[in-house]
Amino acid sequence: MTELVNEKPVNIFPMVTRCTLDIICSTAMGKNIGAQQGKNREYVQAVIEMSDIIQERQKYPWLWIDTIYNQLPSGKKHAHNLQILHTLTKTVILLRRAERKRERQQGKKIDVIDDKTEEVRSRRKLAFLDLLLEVHEQDPSFTLEDIREEVDTFMFEGHDTTASGTSWTLFLLGHHPEIQKKVQEELDNVFDNDRDRPVTNDDIQNLTYLNCVVKEALRLFPPVPLIGRQLEEDTVLSGNFVPKDTITVIGIYWLHRDPKQFPDPEKFDPDRFLPENIKGRHPFAYVPFSAGPRNCIGQKFALMEEKVIRPAFCSYSQEINHLMVQIILIVLFLGNVFFGVGMPTVQLVVV
Ligand code: HEM
């Protein structure tokens, strides 16, 4: 980052993406892919391209038919990338399985995560993949292919979203120097002006203002701006009868801009999330991670990750202030998202 200070405007999103990709690969697979050091280029490129290819396909219903799609250049690229992704995940799974076998044969104990104790840092932690392999070893009906699917799901859900959240937060901090200054003061206070020491769980708990900043950025620019649900029973929404089985779209982006819940909704104001200000707010007024039984499984991980990455960037905030202000916007695909296309009867009811 320091090399880019006083440079022309820089698109920070690819840098942050490589960082979150490294984090999720270490956590989900226990493998450092070195995306930030330019390693595993083919894999990193395939991951990044796939997000675009999938979004592109979602927009055009005629691309949903596999026989047509598979013949098109985009379909061929999709298949090629998928092969690269699956090959790496499968290789990592097989290598890790063999390694675990060896460790057991040598009588080595495979540690479990225990973040509460200090000595944990000297012990090897289990990656998500280890936990899945443990289940497979106890019950082989949970196959290696099942493991690959789970790992790949985490890989995708777990890096693009956090990259978007982190980039938007940096963008907003760049535009609000007074708020950035408060974040910097909190960081200096919690880290006792020591830029280089690792972040601990206690630090994360103590970064209360940064917590409000992250939440407010997720309010204004939720990385998942829309979610869909199929109704299990008839219901009435704002006086409109909506029958069972209707596919509904919940616009998190717009929900977060309800002036009754968030006065002056376009204003970036982290104080909205101070304990005294959240009292009385409707529990579903703020749902960047969705709500209910299918909400985001990675919510705690994501908030922790954002808070750990931020000090790393903000410790250089005095130097990158000008750079941040000029960060190029990553425009969300809000306008392009389709509503109910492909259903036998379509009625758009905005509630
Ligand atoms: C700022 C970061 C993140 C945001 C805003 C976010 C948001 C969401 C949302 C809104 C959903 C629910 C979708 C729905 O209701 O249809 C979801 C689901 C999910 N998220 Fe996240 N997510 C984030 C980070 C992560 C991370 C880091 C992981 C993994 C480590 C993850 C894994 C998942 C998974 C596996 C699901 C599917 C859960 C299920 O279907 O039961 N997410 N996420």
Side-chain angles (χ1 to χ4, degrees):
M1 289 291 294
T2 38
E3 287 161 23
L4 297 168
V5 175
N6 299 327
E7 279 288 318
K8 288 191 206 116
V10 172
N11 183 357
I12 203 168
F13 190 67
M15 282 183 253
V16 179
T17 300
R18 283 195 289 275
C19 171
T20 57
L21 203 49
D22 275 343
I23 292 173
I24 196 67
C25 282
S26 302
T27 324
M29 298 196 283
K31 181 174 166 65
N32 178 5
I33 63 158
Q36 290 171 99
Q37 285 82 42
K39 294 182 193 152
N40 287 294
R41 273 175 202 276
E42 201 187 32
Y43 178 77
V44 174
Q45 190 58 26
V47 172
I48 292 168
E49 272 178 21
M50 279 305 253
S51 305
D52 292 342
I53 290 176
I54 291 166
Q55 254 186 359
E56 191 65 15
R57 190 177 184 191
Q58 277 178 340
K59 281 190 289 176
Y60 304 111
W62 53 92
L63 298 181
W64 301 350
I65 304 158
D66 285 342
T67 37
I68 298 178
Y69 186 67
N70 293 343
Q71 303 311 315
L72 300 172
S74 162
K76 291 188 176 146
K77 187 93 201 143
H78 181 277
H80 176 69
N81 282 340
L82 210 54
Q83 208 210 343
I84 296 170
L85 300 183
H86 286 179
T87 305
L88 185 120
T89 320
K90 275 184 202 158
T91 313
V92 173
I93 292 171
L94 291 176
L95 285 174
R96 185 66 199 124
R97 189 171 72 146
E99 203 182 331
R100 284 172 66 88
K101 218 171 168 179
R102 246 193 337 272
E103 281 172 3
R104 255 197 314 273
Q105 278 163 359
Q106 291 167 358
K108 274 193 199 157
K109 190 175 168 299
I110 301 169
D111 288 325
V112 252
I113 300 172
D114 178 7
D115 272 345
K116 290 196 181 74
T117 55
E118 275 299 307
E119 71 265 29
V120 75
R121 274 187 224 109
S122 60
R123 294 159 58 186
R124 202 178 57 72
K125 293 189 183 185
L126 283 188
F128 177 59
L129 172 58
D130 284 293
L131 301 174
L132 295 175
L133 280 167
E134 232 164 55
V135 177
H136 165 75
E137 283 153 10
Q138 281 156 21
D139 175 9
S141 70
F142 181 63
T143 64
L144 292 181
E145 189 56 15
D146 293 334
I147 293 184
R148 190 202 47 71
E149 281 177 9
E150 296 301 327
V151 171
D152 282 344
T153 301
F154 268 65
M155 286 290 309
F156 269 85
E157 307 261 0
H159 88 275
D160 208 31
T161 43
T162 43
S164 164
T166 304
S167 300
W168 279 111
T169 311
L170 289 171
F171 173 83
L172 287 163
L173 283 176
H175 277 272
H176 296 84
E178 68 297 348
I179 293 174
Q180 193 184 139
K181 191 162 171 272
K182 279 173 83 174
V183 170
Q184 187 65 49
E185 280 164 9
E186 184 179 73
L187 289 172
D188 289 344
N189 198 11
V190 169
F191 287 90
D192 208 10
N193 291 313
D194 180 355
R195 285 179 173 201
D196 300 322
R197 79 167 171 78
V199 182
T200 65
N201 269 337
D202 283 349
D203 294 332
I204 295 175
Q205 299 300 324
N206 292 333
L207 294 169
T208 48
Y209 187 66
L210 180 59
N211 194 37
C212 296
V213 168
V214 169
K215 285 188 170 168
E216 175 68 344
L218 288 172
R219 179 187 74 81
L220 276 172
F221 300 109
V224 181
L226 296 169
I227 52 174
R229 288 290 184 273
Q230 187 159 15
L231 294 187
E232 285 187 344
E233 52 192 61
D234 295 346
T235 189
V236 175
L237 291 175
S238 298
N240 297 291
F241 173 74
V242 192
K244 178 178 181 263
D245 293 333
T246 303
I247 293 177
T248 55
V249 175
I250 300 153
I252 298 176
Y253 179 91
W254 294 279
L255 192 67
H256 286 180
R257 280 169 164 72
D258 177 357
K260 276 193 246 125
Q261 303 289 340
F262 301 102
D264 196 3
E266 293 297 336
K267 186 178 174 204
F268 177 57
D269 178 10
D271 286 357
R272 294 180 204 274
F273 289 95
L274 290 174
E276 59 272 28
N277 294 338
I278 56 174
K279 269 188 214 140
R281 191 175 292 153
H282 193 283
F284 294 149
Y286 176 73
V287 284
F289 296 99
S290 180
R294 296 306 293 262
N295 76 352
C296 177
I297 200 169
Q299 172 169 354
K300 280 195 174 162
F301 178 89
L303 286 175
M304 203 182 263
E305 176 177 338
E306 287 210 28
K307 285 198 268 174
V308 172
I309 296 178
R310 201 67 30 71
F313 278 96
C314 286
S315 63
Y316 295 104
S317 66
Q318 300 310 316
E319 292 140 52
I320 63 171
N321 197 18
H322 296 296
L323 166 75
M324 281 203 209
V325 179
Q326 296 179 64
I327 289 164
I328 294 174
L329 274 178
I330 322 298
V331 182
L332 289 171
F333 274 65
L334 292 173
N336 289 329
V337 180
F338 59 90
F339 286 90
V341 179
M343 282 188 274
T345 52
V346 179
Q347 191 191 7
L348 177 61
V349 182
V350 180
V351 181

